[in-house]
Amino acid sequence: MIDHEVTPLLSEVPGVDLTKYKTNLIERFANPAIRDQLSLIGSYGSSGIPKFVLPSIEELQRRGLIKLLSFTVPCWFRFLDGWDESGKEMPMLDPLHCGNAQRLRGEMRNNFSTLVNSIA
């Protein structure tokens, strides 16, 4: 996904070797000693998804390249449910949790189609 859907949208940054940066990023997420927690990765979803992910999805769709990045949005909705696969509550660190994220989380729990209609 990173090479086919993210890289084409990035502008060149002077002094940054993008290939090396992507390799380091993938190694970081694969390293069990670092153990990035889902709650930390998703902590700024309410601000990051609309600001970075949705415009990227729209641009990829315009270019006819969209495949996997769009899956980020339903994954974030699932995260907002607040429970992991074993039924354990996940901490919600999103600073907008009490606003939009909380509304979406409640709607998702009650009725997924209501959630989709409220965003569409």
Side-chain angles (χ1 to χ4, degrees), residues 3 5 16 18 36 38 64 73 75 81 89 100-102 106-107 112 115:
D3 288 328
E5 296 188 29
V16 174
L18 186 57
D36 283 311
L38 181 60
V73 177
C75 289
D81 186 43
E89 189 169 10
N100 189 42
Q102 186 172 352
E107 288 181 19
F112 186 76
L115 172 65

Side-chain angles (χ1 to χ4, degrees), residues 64-85:
L65 300 173
I66 192 73
K67 289 190 184 350
L68 298 174
L69 188 60
S70 57
F71 190 60
T72 305
V73 177
C75 289
W76 177 62
F77 288 164
R78 172 63 180 90
F79 172 75
L80 291 177
D81 186 43
W83 303 93
D84 69 14
E85 292 77 20

Side-chain angles (χ1 to χ4, degrees), residues 20-38:
K20 200 179 271 188
Y21 177 81
K22 290 187 296 186
T23 300
N24 290 341
L25 185 64
I26 290 168
E27 287 173 358
R28 174 184 166 79
F29 282 110
N31 185 343
I34 294 176
R35 297 190 52 171
D36 283 311
Q37 294 180 350
L38 181 60

